[in-house]
Amino acid sequence: EGDNCVFDGMIYRNGETFQPSCKYQCTCRDGQIGCLPRCNLDLLLPGPDCPFPRKIEVPGECCEKWICDPKDEVILGGFAMAAYRQEATLGIDVSDSSANCIEQTTEWSACSKSCGMGFSTRVTNRNQQCEMVKQTRLCMIRPCENEEPFDKKGKKCIRTKKSLKAVRFEYKNCTSVQTYKPRYCGLCNDGRCCTPHNTKTIQVEFRCPQGKVLKKPMMLISTCVCHNNCPQSNNAF
């Protein structure tokens, strides 16, 4: 028989499951208490079609719900959910949370636009507070100028094309301070579409009107892949 647990003046036997609140389900394990959130909203964020979410309380319901916030100013982070809350840690000091943190980072989502400047998102708790944070980065799969979808050598797809000249990225009337020679994903003439396969994230500095300077994370493409899993009714692919 394992040790009992004491929480909020109540004694729980080893193996016993209880709910200290409607939001958490806890289990006593040999004197230690472990809790899981019953509201999956604590772990799951809205998708890329809702880049700026906000949680609200619903009268009469235990779990909060996500709504889409029209704000378009904050590009990185800002919407944090504690992976270790006071109810879940049961007295463990917040400063200890990084030692107990199981790192979780999702893949970057697909770019929101098939040509021109868009954004992609991911969720990560890779920070000192072990908080689930939504991150956003800029991305450009290809410029929107009309291009020949295939070359003269008879190829059906061009996977990756490198910009022949140095370009400046543009974002909300702002222009990148440095010039870049980015790689883009090509086009196909057999119904397939080409999307990024290997990417990295860099910080790009933009100069805006009235001398304002912005720094934004942005995706740089290393390689692309051509496939049949194309977005429906997306003519740009």
Side-chain angles (χ1 to χ4, degrees):
E1 295 270 340
D3 290 339
N4 291 335
C5 304
V6 179
F7 175 65
D8 201 20
M10 298 286 290
I11 298 176
Y12 298 96
R13 296 187 307 276
N14 177 43
E16 187 175 352
T17 297
F18 62 98
Q19 291 181 14
S21 76
C22 64
K23 293 183 179 181
Y24 294 92
Q25 179 165 306
C26 302
T27 303
C28 174
R29 298 280 186 202
D30 194 21
Q32 301 292 320
I33 297 176
C35 298
L36 288 173
R38 300 183 69 236
C39 301
N40 60 0
L41 295 179
D42 280 351
L43 302 176
L44 299 176
L45 276 164
D49 55 336
C50 180
F52 302 103
R54 187 161 53 90
K55 269 202 299 193
I56 60 167
E57 291 187 3
V58 182
E61 293 189 20
C62 173
C63 298
E64 296 165 308
K65 288 190 176 179
W66 286 108
I67 62 168
C68 284
D69 199 319
K71 281 189 293 189
D72 195 18
E73 200 55 41
V74 182
I75 260 300
L76 179 62
F79 300 93
M81 298 164 295
Y84 291 88
R85 299 171 188 265
Q86 192 172 0
E87 302 100 309
T89 54
L90 308 174
I92 297 174
D93 188 57
V94 175
S95 62
D96 296 331
S97 62
S98 59
N100 301 319
C101 186
I102 300 173
E103 188 177 298
Q104 301 175 73
T105 303
T106 65
E107 296 289 332
W108 287 102
S109 68
C111 194
S112 63
K113 291 190 177 180
S114 57
C115 73
M117 190 67 77
F119 62 87
S120 64
T121 58
R122 73 175 180 182
V123 179
T124 181
N125 65 349
R126 191 183 297 166
N127 52 60
Q128 197 167 2
Q129 292 75 32
C130 191
E131 291 180 337
M132 298 298 287
V133 175
K134 186 163 192 173
Q135 295 179 335
T136 304
R137 68 176 179 178
L138 301 176
C139 52
M140 184 185 290
I141 296 180
R142 62 182 65 81
C144 284
E145 296 92 36
N146 291 326
E147 298 181 38
E148 286 295 318
F150 52 94
D151 65 4
K152 297 176 183 177
K153 297 177 183 176
K155 288 184 179 179
K156 293 182 178 180
C157 285
I158 301 174
R159 281 190 299 179
T160 309
K161 296 179 68 174
K162 188 168 184 178
S163 177
L164 297 178
K165 59 181 181 180
V167 297
R168 295 184 191 272
F169 296 123
E170 293 187 1
Y171 168 74
K172 287 189 175 180
N173 297 325
C174 306
T175 305
S176 65
V177 175
Q178 294 185 16
T179 58
Y180 300 86
K181 279 192 173 181
R183 287 187 177 91
Y184 300 123
C185 293
L187 296 168
C188 299
N189 68 344
D190 61 357
R192 286 184 289 171
C193 48
C194 287
T195 54
H197 180 59
N198 287 324
T199 66
K200 63 180 180 179
T201 304
I202 62 168
Q203 289 288 332
V204 177
E205 190 172 317
F206 292 90
R207 185 167 287 123
C208 308
Q210 289 85 42
K212 187 180 178 183
V213 174
L214 291 176
K215 281 189 177 179
K216 301 291 180 186
M218 183 167 177
M219 174 190 79
L220 280 191
I221 295 172
S222 299
T223 61
C224 300
V225 64
C226 300
H227 53 85
N228 290 309
N229 187 24
C230 301
Q232 289 185 350
S233 68
N234 197 335
N235 296 327
F237 279 109

